[in-house]
Amino acid sequence: MDEPAIAAVPAITLTDLAQFAPAPVTASGEPDNLGVAGMPTNFVAAASTHTQSGTLFAIPVTVRFTPVGYDFRYGDGDSASTTTGGQTWSALGQAQFTPTATSHTYRDRGTYDASVTVRYAAEVDLGVGWFPVEGQLSIDGPTQQIRIFEAHTALVARTCVEQPAAPGC
């Protein structure tokens, strides 16, 4: 008995899947894209698995992109590559201005253009299960302005309630 002929499917590349690509992700600095020189600014890039269906080579397909890496550029010449997009301090159960896996400490006050590139692994389903596509798709996110301020502290003998005219009160 003869088996039915199966149409040949060309090798699928990341370039072929560009029409299914996830949207760019913006890196947000916490708190509110502000920071203090000498203290950690926490960055979060909220990327998630992206699945989309359509046609490719006149064949119905489903494509799945899974984030596998994050390349943060902090705008001051420093950068970091991580496997996580980070979480807010609240979600981590941490106090503000404490270090995280995605935080960065700016040395000087100023305004910095920060951004993130998210790297995705791709898989395609032609109706018979998922198959990986070789390589990673990198999607550059837009720049986000991060304002860094200076903070000065003073040691005082009494609280502002006890001595309202004290320095810093």
Side-chain angles (χ1 to χ4, degrees), residues 64-111:
R64 178 168 58 203
F65 291 98
T66 303
V68 294
Y70 300 79
D71 300 320
F72 289 92
R73 289 171 303 286
Y74 301 112
D76 64 352
D78 286 349
S79 61
S81 292
T82 67
T83 57
T84 175
Q87 294 183 44
T88 64
W89 280 310
S90 176
L92 292 168
Q94 291 182 220
Q96 287 188 344
F97 303 107
T98 57
T100 69
T102 56
S103 66
H104 177 67
T105 301
Y106 291 91
R107 290 180 288 284
D108 300 307
R109 72 175 182 219
T111 301

Side-chain angles (χ1 to χ4, degrees), residues 26 37 60 123 145 148 150:
T26 301
E123 299 172 287
Q145 286 198 330
I148 302 299
E150 283 184 358

Side-chain angles (χ1 to χ4, degrees), residues 28-151:
S28 298
E30 187 180 37
D32 298 322
N33 295 321
L34 302 173
V36 177
M39 299 183 76
T41 299
N42 186 35
F43 283 87
V44 178
S48 60
T49 299
H50 171 81
T51 304
Q52 185 174 339
S53 296
T55 56
L56 183 64
F57 308 125
I59 300 169
V61 298
T62 303
V63 180
R64 178 168 58 203
F65 291 98
T66 303
V68 294
Y70 300 79
D71 300 320
F72 289 92
R73 289 171 303 286
Y74 301 112
D76 64 352
D78 286 349
S79 61
S81 292
T82 67
T83 57
T84 175
Q87 294 183 44
T88 64
W89 280 310
S90 176
L92 292 168
Q94 291 182 220
Q96 287 188 344
F97 303 107
T98 57
T100 69
T102 56
S103 66
H104 177 67
T105 301
Y106 291 91
R107 290 180 288 284
D108 300 307
R109 72 175 182 219
T111 301
Y112 299 91
D113 290 333
S115 64
V116 66
T117 296
V118 181
R119 291 178 278 119
Y120 293 89
E123 299 172 287
V124 64
D125 182 0
L126 301 167
V128 293
W130 292 104
F131 293 94
V133 176
E134 189 173 321
Q136 292 181 353
L137 177 65
S138 295
I139 299 182
D140 295 331
T143 59
Q144 179 75 6
Q145 286 198 330
I146 307 297
R147 294 187 62 202
I148 302 299
F149 296 93
E150 283 184 358

